Each structure stands twice: as structure tokens, then as C-alpha cells.
Amino acid sequence: MTGGLSPLLRRLAADRATGALVRDHGTLYLVDGQVVHAESPVAPGLDVLLAGGSDRRSAARPHGARARRIGAGEREICRLGALFDAAFFALAPGRGPARFRYGAEPRLAGAGRPVPAAAVERETLRRRELLDDVWPYPALDAAPVVPRPAAPGQSVTARGRALLSRADGVRTPAQLAWVLGRPAFHTVLEIRRLAAAGLVETPAPAPVPDPAPVPPSGAAPTADPPDIALLRRVRDALEAHL
């Protein structure tokens, strides 16, 4: 795979490291260089996904009644989905450097098979490309979701209706994902689809600052840099004494 989302993640995978890779938007937990768990404040955890939303989650029963009714295979699929969901946001570009805490372990990770770091990177890149193919406006992903009225005869999917019914112009895609108990990436993807269909406002791009004015050709600069000006004053003083 050309390029890479995290050179540090690749080095840790090659070194078969165990610990936590902490980035601006989330954390990846590795065991022997493979990803066993991922967390991000953007992505709902497995407990919220299994409960069907943060407003339905019971503090006394973290995984709710639904969690007890599903089989081990379905639970593993949900666990892997939550892992890839959180990893997508954890690997998003950040402002600060990543750091690795050797030996750190996740508190809420369930048992399950690890995922190669390269597979996590590939899936994250695939998801980024999918978002851009649907509607290349990443400002939607963190902005409050503002619904727009549907055109006469325009149909909306059930998934889209559920999002629009809870979009109040204040909640962001991440907040809607937590309320609905859905993976954050799939929520962002659906909102981009709604925006492409004209059912959600697309935020205006940030204004680009005007470039500094360029003096016309041949015009004298308004001021010299301090060191040049000093040299010229020294030169003038020497010439005055010659």
C-alpha cells in the first residue's frame, strides 16, 4: 500500500509492540503488533451499539438485554465493526504528534481476534475515498446537521429519515450516532448522501484570506529590513567622512 496513515503504527506493527497508540482523535491498542481494540470520542462504543443508542443504554446493565440475546458470532461482528469505526477517526489527521504507551491495555475491550495494522489502514483509506466519492465536503463531518425540505416527490430512505428526524441544527454527526446507536462512520456517510441529495445543508467553505499585496514592478519598497537599513546608514556615514 502506497502512502500511509501512521508511520508509527507501521513501525509498531513491525516490532510486534504491545501498548496504546494515542493520537488526537482516538487510541489504538496493540498486542504483538496487531490491533485488538480502538477508542474514539467520536465513535459510539460496543455497549452503545448493542443497546441501540445512548438514550436506551442502562447504566446498571452495560450491554442491555439485547446483548444477552445475540450469539457469539454476531457479537464478534459488532465488536469488529466498532473497532474499525473508532480506528477510522483515531487515524484522522491531527495537530499533535502521536505517542505510544508500552504495555497499556484497554479497559473495555472484549475478547476477540486481533486485526493486522495494515488491514486497519487499508479499511480507513477505503472509507475516506468512499466519503469523497459520495460528496467531497469534509466540513459536514463535524458541523451541526441542518435539514432542508425535500423536493416534491423526493424519496428518503428509512435510515435517512431517522437521521433527519433527530437533526435539530445543533447535533453533529457524532452526536446523532451516539443517540441512534449507529457507527459514526456510517452516520457521516449517510449525512453526506443526504447533503448530496439536497436534504442537508452543506456548510460554506472557510474564507480564504486575501494574499498580501505585491508592490508594482519597479516600485521602491516601503521599508528596508533592519539589517540592510543599518548597513546603509553605516555606509553613508563613512562616505560623509571621506
Side-chain angles (χ1 to χ4, degrees):
M1 180 177 58
T2 58
L5 300 174
S6 172
L8 178 55
L9 175 59
R10 289 190 164 192
R11 292 199 302 271
L12 294 168
D15 293 342
R16 300 178 60 85
T18 295
L21 175 59
V22 182
R23 294 169 57 91
D24 282 357
H25 304 293
T27 303
L28 300 180
Y29 290 89
L30 281 68
V31 172
D32 293 332
Q34 294 190 308
V35 181
V36 296
H37 184 64
E39 296 175 357
S40 171
V42 178
L46 181 61
D47 56 342
V48 177
L49 298 177
L50 292 177
S54 59
D55 52 353
R56 300 180 187 176
R57 183 176 51 175
S58 168
R61 294 177 297 172
H63 293 158
R66 180 184 168 194
R68 291 195 297 270
R69 292 196 299 268
I70 68 173
E74 184 180 353
R75 183 180 180 80
E76 176 64 4
I77 291 173
C78 292
R79 187 193 70 84
L80 288 173
L83 185 154
F84 280 111
D85 193 43
F88 174 80
F89 295 98
L91 290 173
R95 295 182 179 179
R99 60 190 186 278
F100 189 69
R101 302 202 312 262
Y102 283 93
E105 298 180 355
R107 293 176 298 171
L108 302 176
R113 68 180 183 88
V115 181
V120 173
E121 281 201 320
R122 282 195 303 269
E123 177 60 15
T124 298
L125 288 171
R126 185 192 71 83
R127 294 184 179 204
R128 287 187 186 179
E129 293 172 358
L130 179 58
L131 287 176
D132 287 340
D133 288 343
V134 169
W135 193 241
Y137 292 91
L140 276 162
D141 302 346
V145 180
V146 181
R148 297 181 61 187
Q154 186 176 15
S155 61
V156 185
T157 64
R159 186 185 298 270
R161 288 195 301 271
L163 281 170
L164 292 173
S165 68
R166 290 166 175 79
D168 54 7
V170 176
R171 287 174 172 150
T172 64
Q175 291 170 328
L176 289 171
W178 279 81
V179 168
L180 292 168
R182 294 181 180 173
F185 170 78
H186 296 303
T187 303
V188 167
L189 179 62
E190 185 64 26
I191 288 171
R192 289 219 197 182
R193 286 174 175 152
L194 291 169
L199 295 169
V200 165
E201 292 280 357
T202 298
V208 178
D210 295 331
V214 178
S217 178
T222 56
D224 288 325
D227 55 336
I228 300 298
L230 176 61
L231 290 174
R232 287 182 175 174
R233 289 197 298 271
V234 172
R235 181 199 61 190
D236 294 342
L238 290 174
E239 290 179 348
H241 289 82
L242 291 177

